[in-house]
Amino acid sequence: MSALVPLPVVVPLLGAALTLLLAGNPRLQRVISVLCLGGTLTVAVLLLVQAYRFGPVVVAVGAWPAPVGIVLVADQLAALMLVVSSAVTLCVLLYSIGQGRSETSEISPVSIFHPTYLVLTAGVTNAFLAGDLFNLFVGFEILLAASFVLITLGGTEARIRAGSTYVVVSILSSMIFLTSVGLVYAATGTLNLAQLAQRLDDLPSGVRLALELMLLLAFAIKAAVFPLSAWLPDSYPTAPAPVTAVFAGLLTKVGVYAIIRTETLLFPGGQADVLLMVVAGLTMVIGILGAVAQSDLKRLFSFTLVSHIGYMIFGVALSTAAGLSGAIFYVVHHITIQTTLFLVAGLVEERAGSTDLRRIGGLARVAPLLGVLFFVPAMNLAGVPPFSGFLGKIGLLQAGVAAGGPLPGVLVAAGTLTSLLTLYVASRVWNIAFWRAPRLATSAPIVQLPKLMVGATVALVALGLALTVLAGPLFDVTADAAADLRLRTPYVRAVLPGGVP
């Protein structure tokens, strides 16, 4: 099974090369892209089964063993993230194909989109599988380089302006990350995560805390944690719908994944827990208050994206098995649901010609299926029973109550308030865009929504419902992953079977 570990990285990269060579043949580009992502999803499922049953699956790249060589590690957390990210990227790819844009369209030039999208996928999977800090940095840089192209597709003034902000912030976070990598190596003499788990414990507490805060700063920018989140609502909404959807679903979660990985494997003492709790509470509340003030659907969803990152950081900050399990479950839930909502926003724009809530209305009457596709994930995001959003939030809030203390109690209250305000925001969008009388944009001639776009969105809505139906087994996986993360020894022994100090 170890031979499968590199495939989620290698297959999209090979696909990117092929689609670039076939720039003049959009049909073949589409076929290759779908086959690559379908194959990646299949491999991810196999790796998850293997990691759950037998433990982490490790491969030494170039046959150079750790800690000298580069290792790719598929433990339960990494494999679970691979499965959900591969499913989401495949659905978004089908959605983008369904748009039927021509190669010269400013929305999504086909010859550019497919190879860049596959490179982005390879960067995400490489980050999840990285067994050392520098390879994690490489994964981030691969996905960021591809995202710079995707966010400015078409070269319109709004996209270039928003893309410039995104590029500057991304480069800043990468510089902080690279500096942190250099400092970690200077302090420990290694970048291998398993070996760092052994060596960082021997450092003075002050040095260890400084390294932890440096890495947290870099990852918090990438994850859009308040107060480092102002760039996101200004950057994402201008991009094409498929690009915005995959950015919202995955890119910030790679930052959250990096926080989970480093806080459990490298810095398990909980020195930064108080800081993480404070920023988690602020992220939840301020993010959702920003959503309440929005009148554009994409910007509104961008603020809800920021807000719900706070739930994940809350679970990590608790430093308990229940909190970590709840955080992992909520990451899986949020990747699926937030991506779905941005795809729905694209369908609204396709049907109504706008995402401005002041210009649209009556969509439930003229496009009832679109109303259902919005309503189900919106209620899921708000945490209405019995959806997975409710189950994930309940798990996190119960973990907060069990942890005890004033600060976890405040965060439980903040999480409850955020959930209620999310429900208010979702209800407001429903009443304005779907329920009230048609406005200017929806009075235009009816536009038939492309079947593949609708089908891809339906598939993601169904995946969100499947998370509810399969919540029990999924919680078993996340609980087991959380236990391994807190124990650390399964990961370390898999990477360093000889116990290299």
Side-chain angles (χ1 to χ4, degrees):
M1 293 295 291
S2 61
L4 297 178
V5 178
L7 293 183
V9 181
V10 173
V11 170
L13 286 178
L14 290 177
L18 286 174
T19 52
L20 187 61
L21 291 174
L22 296 169
N25 194 329
R27 183 184 297 275
L28 272 179
Q29 279 190 323
R30 293 192 292 267
V31 171
I32 291 172
S33 297
V34 171
L35 289 176
C36 286
L37 294 187
T40 300
L41 176 58
T42 302
V43 171
V45 171
L46 293 174
L47 288 175
L48 178 58
V49 172
Q50 180 75 7
Y52 182 70
R53 294 179 62 188
F54 303 108
V57 188
V58 182
V59 64
V61 178
W64 287 88
V68 177
I70 296 172
V71 292
L72 300 177
V73 187
D75 63 349
Q76 291 186 71
L77 174 61
L80 181 60
M81 296 297 289
L82 282 178
V83 170
V84 67
S85 65
S86 299
V88 164
T89 51
L90 178 59
C91 288
V92 173
L93 176 67
L94 294 174
Y95 181 98
S96 68
I97 293 172
Q99 281 187 315
R101 305 297 184 185
S102 68
E103 187 174 349
T104 57
S105 168
E106 69 173 21
I107 302 297
S108 58
V110 174
S111 61
I112 299 173
F113 177 80
H114 286 279
T116 310
Y117 189 80
L118 290 173
V119 169
L120 178 81
T121 303
V124 170
T125 55
N126 185 72
F128 290 151
L129 293 170
D132 65 84
L133 273 182
F134 189 75
N135 198 28
L136 178 61
F137 171 78
V138 170
F140 271 113
E141 293 310 295
I142 292 173
L143 70 89
L144 286 175
S147 69
F148 295 161
V149 177
L150 293 174
I151 204 169
T152 55
L153 280 178
T156 62
E157 181 181 351
R159 290 178 185 168
I160 294 296
R161 183 172 59 251
S164 298
T165 301
Y166 176 77
V167 169
V168 169
V169 172
S170 298
I171 290 176
L172 175 62
S173 67
S174 295
M175 290 176 61
I176 295 172
F177 188 9
L178 187 58
T179 302
S180 304
V181 170
L183 291 174
V184 168
Y185 186 78
T188 63
T190 186
L191 293 175
N192 181 274
L193 293 177
Q195 197 172 25
L196 282 173
Q198 299 172 327
R199 293 190 178 182
L200 283 170
D201 290 341
D202 299 328
L203 294 180
S205 60
V207 175
R208 190 166 174 271
L209 179 60
L211 295 176
E212 180 179 8
L213 293 178
M214 284 285 290
L215 288 171
L216 278 177
L217 177 61
F219 299 147
I221 296 174
K222 296 180 184 298
V225 176
F226 183 85
L228 307 171
S229 57
W231 59 270
L232 191 149
D234 291 330
S235 301
Y236 283 10
T238 60
V243 174
T244 306
V246 79
F247 279 22
L250 285 181
L251 298 199
T252 53
K253 308 311 181 303
V254 179
V256 173
Y257 167 84
I259 292 175
I260 293 174
R261 178 67 72 191
T262 54
E263 285 299 296
T264 54
L265 184 60
L266 305 187
F267 307 103
Q271 286 182 289
D273 285 353
V274 172
L275 174 63
L276 287 174
M277 286 188 189
V278 171
V279 298
L282 292 174
T283 302
M284 284 190 283
V285 174
I286 294 178
I288 199 61
L289 290 177
V292 169
Q294 300 308 308
S295 59
D296 181 84
L297 202 55
K298 290 183 179 180
R299 282 186 61 83
L300 184 149
F301 288 155
S302 296
F303 276 100
T304 62
L305 166 62
V306 171
S307 175
H308 287 248
I309 294 294
Y311 284 103
M312 307 165 207
I313 303 302
F314 173 33
V316 177
L318 290 175
S319 289
T320 64
L324 190 56
S325 174
I328 297 170
F329 183 93
Y330 206 82
V331 169
V332 173
H333 150 80
H334 197 256
I335 288 174
T336 307
I337 301 306
Q338 197 71 57
T339 303
T340 306
L341 286 172
F342 273 100
L343 293 186
V344 171
L347 292 177
V348 169
E349 188 171 28
E350 190 84 13
R351 170 60 187 84
S354 175
T355 55
D356 190 339
L357 295 176
R358 295 166 296 188
R359 300 188 61 224
I360 58 179
L363 288 174
R365 182 170 59 186
V366 299
L369 178 58
L370 183 55
V372 173
L373 294 179
F374 167 79
F375 185 81
V376 173
M379 294 300 103
N380 202 334
L381 184 70
V384 173
F387 293 122
S388 59
F390 169 76
L391 300 174
K393 289 185 175 105
I394 285 296
L396 287 168
L397 298 182
Q398 286 179 336
V401 171
L407 196 49
V410 171
L411 284 179
V412 168
T416 304
L417 174 63
T418 300
S419 186
L420 292 173
L421 288 176
T422 304
L423 179 59
Y424 164 75
V425 168
S427 301
R428 175 170 166 263
V429 172
W430 173 262
N431 288 333
I432 295 175
F434 292 88
W435 198 248
R436 75 177 180 185
R439 293 298 181 93
L440 175 62
T442 49
S443 63
I446 293 177
V447 176
Q448 186 69 32
L449 293 174
K451 292 181 179 179
L452 195 53
M453 290 176 68
V454 175
T457 309
V458 169
L460 275 183
V461 171
L463 180 59
L465 293 175
L467 294 180
T468 302
V469 176
L470 302 175
L474 181 56
F475 263 119
D476 290 340
V477 174
T478 61
D480 207 35
D484 283 353
L485 288 170
R486 285 172 52 78
L487 194 59
R488 299 200 296 170
T489 50
Y491 187 99
V492 173
R493 287 175 180 170
V495 176
L496 302 172
V500 179

